[in-house]
Amino acid sequence: MDIRCTDKELFVFNKIGHAAADLGIEAWIIGGFVRDKLIGRNTKDADIVCVGDGIELANRVADRFNPRPPVAFFKTYGTAQIKLKDFYDHQDIEELGISEKGDDPLAERGDDSPAEDGSAPPSFRKEGGGEAAFEIEFVGARKESYRYHSRNPEVLPGTIKDDQDRRDFTINAMAISLNKADFGTLVDPFNGIKDLENKLIRTPLDPLQTFSDDPLRMMRAIRFAAQLGFTIHPPVFQAIKDNVERIRIISQERITDELNKILLSNKPSVGFDLLYKAGLLHIIFPQMIDLVGAEFVDGLGHKDNFYHTLQVVDNISRHTNDLWLRWAALLHDIGKPPTKKFEAGHGWTFHGHEVVGGRMVPRIFARLKLPQNEKMRFVRKLVELHLRPISLTKEDITDSAIRRLLFDAGDDIEALMMLCSADITSKNKQKVKRYLENFELVKLRLHEVEEKDRIRNWQPPITGEMVMEIFGLTPCKQVGDIKNAIREAILDGKIDNNYDAAYDFMLKTADELGLKPVI
């Protein structure tokens, strides 16, 4: 495996190496940057660990740029961050001596020189291209010890070995030297590169201790399995199952951050299935567990709504990276367990589950510390409307029904239609094909009615202010009744969607209420 850096990245790493050398300390790139470069995954940040003061190194590195980037530091944790953008030109590269072949001015040996253990290091050279923004985190090497009831460790200065020992997984414990004597050498004490090749998630040390020390690592293991398509080593997965109760000491914000990352992976079902099988989902998201399983009475059963939901999430993930649309997919049937009922001679029903599910969304978002703003309202709206387009495939589609759907969905109609398409699942491929063909007819009718009536985000041509002025009213129930009557008449197609038709209908409705115009 090769580590191929962009010219911008190599430029920065040379500056870090020189700055560390000036301070008389050693430094390495460690963790996710190394992992992602080895597997060809895009990355926009890097972690630097040094045997010394990470904040001091960050400031020395910043001094080497003109203009000097600001250094954000957290003294309590001994960490610092630099965000770099548009940070060099070709003259800078020439001064550093980086040639088109990616020669490294710090390294006196060639790419193929052996490492200290006799193994050949990966190639560490320039690769063209790359974005002009880069985030660098600096921290001093450390060793940690934990108290059982807290995930806040006691931290002491340490060596590069100590720092790699405390890492969560072997694939995240690999480091690349930035030191003159062995610049570019891979430091891989736990054979993480082999685990990358085997697509395996293992812990550097005893997994029971690893997860007890920091229970969030259990969710990170599952998140990496979902993101990378890797398998969790069986003893590691067993250790997760044995430690599930420890997740309770982790803050909800950090748990939800991992849930979001799982939901944004290419195939979220992998992560949620592992969360369920490990027992973590029972603690962090019990409403999802209520969806699990299929119940049968008199030979009549319903689908397993948990795995149906995961399939819907996977379906929608093929078409969008929108986190909140994925949340809508995850919660679209969350109201089924409380509405489930068996009706003799008919079977299982979930009447009104979309309404109940919509009401559950704010509570779920609050518990998970998700935003209570327009994002939550978007998810709730889609949960409440997700049956409407599908129901239109089972009847003659009237313009009135289409207009009402367009009016209620507004600008979210495309997202709603995407969710509804994803919700069409069955083991019977012909059945799915037939439903999707019928659904295409609904899409066509939506387009036709929208082109004709322009009803999306529509407001009736007569406003409440106009009603009050014409009839000499103050805000009251009669004003609302007249406005609603006009809106319903237009949506039902009883009158045309224009001012004259609405005005005449308003006069008629007001007359029935005993109101006369004053102007």
Side-chain angles (χ1 to χ4, degrees), residues 56-305:
E56 185 180 13
L57 177 58
N59 279 290
R60 285 296 186 96
V61 171
D63 289 342
R64 290 178 168 267
F65 290 92
N66 186 17
R68 186 184 193 274
V71 177
F73 64 92
F74 309 91
K75 193 170 182 179
T76 303
Y77 301 101
T79 62
Q81 182 190 70
I82 297 175
K83 292 185 179 181
L84 301 170
K85 187 175 183 181
D86 300 327
F87 49 83
Y88 80 100
D89 58 29
H90 293 292
Q91 183 179 353
D92 291 324
I93 296 177
E94 290 171 4
E95 289 175 357
L96 273 173
I98 304 175
S99 76
E100 288 304 309
K101 294 182 179 179
D103 297 333
D104 165 35
L106 285 177
E108 295 177 351
R109 60 177 181 76
D111 279 341
D112 297 325
S113 299
E116 290 182 4
D117 63 2
S119 63
S123 173
F124 187 66
R125 57 190 177 212
K126 185 179 77 171
E127 181 183 70
E131 296 298 321
F134 199 31
E135 296 183 8
I136 317 292
E137 297 270 359
F138 298 84
V139 68
R142 59 191 185 181
K143 53 186 176 181
E144 299 174 344
S145 59
Y146 290 79
R147 295 187 180 93
Y148 184 76
H149 293 292
S150 172
R151 70 173 300 270
N152 295 318
E154 294 181 3
V155 179
L156 296 172
T159 64
I160 181 63
K161 180 182 182 302
D162 293 328
D163 205 87
Q164 288 177 300
D165 284 349
R166 73 177 183 82
R167 297 281 161 170
D168 50 7
F169 310 113
T170 60
I171 60 173
N172 294 334
M174 295 179 287
I176 293 291
S177 173
L178 297 180
N179 307 304
K180 183 175 181 179
D182 58 353
F183 187 90
T185 298
L186 178 69
V187 183
D188 183 19
F190 304 109
N191 215 4
I193 199 165
K194 189 70 174 177
D195 288 338
L196 279 182
E197 292 169 351
N198 294 331
K199 297 186 174 183
L200 194 64
I201 294 174
R202 290 191 305 117
T203 56
L205 306 177
D206 179 3
L208 281 171
Q209 187 63 47
T210 296
F211 296 139
S212 180
D213 283 350
D214 186 351
L216 189 67
R217 290 169 173 169
M218 298 185 289
M219 292 197 66
R220 283 170 56 82
I222 290 171
R223 187 244 295 179
F224 283 124
Q227 286 181 331
L228 304 177
F230 282 22
T231 299
I232 300 176
H233 194 227
V236 173
F237 193 67
Q238 184 59 50
I240 293 175
K241 293 165 75 172
D242 292 342
N243 270 285
V244 289
E245 288 296 323
R246 290 279 287 155
I247 200 67
R248 297 185 189 275
I249 72 170
I250 302 298
S251 71
Q252 185 59 58
E253 289 84 355
R254 301 199 69 184
I255 290 172
T256 297
D257 183 54
E258 292 299 326
L259 277 176
N260 284 338
K261 290 175 180 177
I262 291 170
L263 199 52
L264 285 171
S265 62
N266 288 337
K267 195 173 182 182
S269 63
V270 171
F272 280 93
D273 189 33
L274 287 171
L275 288 172
Y276 165 59
K277 289 176 178 175
L280 284 168
L281 202 63
H282 300 66
I283 298 171
I284 65 175
F285 202 165
Q287 294 93 336
M288 286 291 294
I289 297 300
D290 293 339
L291 292 167
V292 174
E295 192 173 350
F296 287 82
V297 173
D298 297 335
L300 297 174
H302 59 82
K303 68 177 67 175
D304 185 315
N305 287 304

Side-chain angles (χ1 to χ4, degrees), residues 385-409 413 416-417 420 424 434-435 437-447 449:
L385 293 178
H386 80 273
L387 292 184
R388 290 269 293 277
I390 293 176
S391 68
L392 296 177
T393 66
K394 302 173 183 178
E395 59 186 54
D396 292 333
I397 309 173
T398 64
D399 283 3
S400 174
I402 295 293
R403 275 192 294 268
R404 288 182 177 280
L405 179 59
L406 285 166
F407 179 74
D408 291 340
I413 186 65
L416 176 63
M417 297 302 286
C420 292
I424 299 173
R434 185 171 67 254
Y435 280 177
E437 288 173 350
N438 290 341
F439 200 61
E440 287 301 314
L441 296 177
V442 176
K443 292 181 181 179
L444 180 62
R445 292 286 288 115
L446 281 168
H447 179 72
V449 173

Side-chain angles (χ1 to χ4, degrees), residues 459-476 478-484 486 506:
Q459 294 297 323
I462 302 294
T463 67
E465 289 77 10
M466 294 167 66
V467 172
M468 287 189 286
E469 183 180 358
I470 292 168
F471 296 98
L473 299 172
T474 57
C476 62
Q478 289 171 313
V479 175
D481 290 343
I482 292 172
K483 280 181 58 184
N484 290 339
I486 295 170
M506 174 191 66

Side-chain angles (χ1 to χ4, degrees), residues 43 47 221 309 367 436 439 500:
T43 181
D47 293 333
T309 293
R367 181 179 183 274
L436 288 174
F439 200 61
D500 290 339

Side-chain angles (χ1 to χ4, degrees), residues 398-401 403-404 452-453 455 458 485-497 501 505:
T398 64
D399 283 3
S400 174
R403 275 192 294 268
R404 288 182 177 280
K452 182 178 67 174
D453 292 345
I455 210 75
W458 160 83
I486 295 170
R487 184 187 68 235
E488 295 300 306
I490 292 174
L491 290 174
D492 284 338
K494 293 179 180 177
I495 62 174
D496 292 335
N497 181 20
F505 187 81

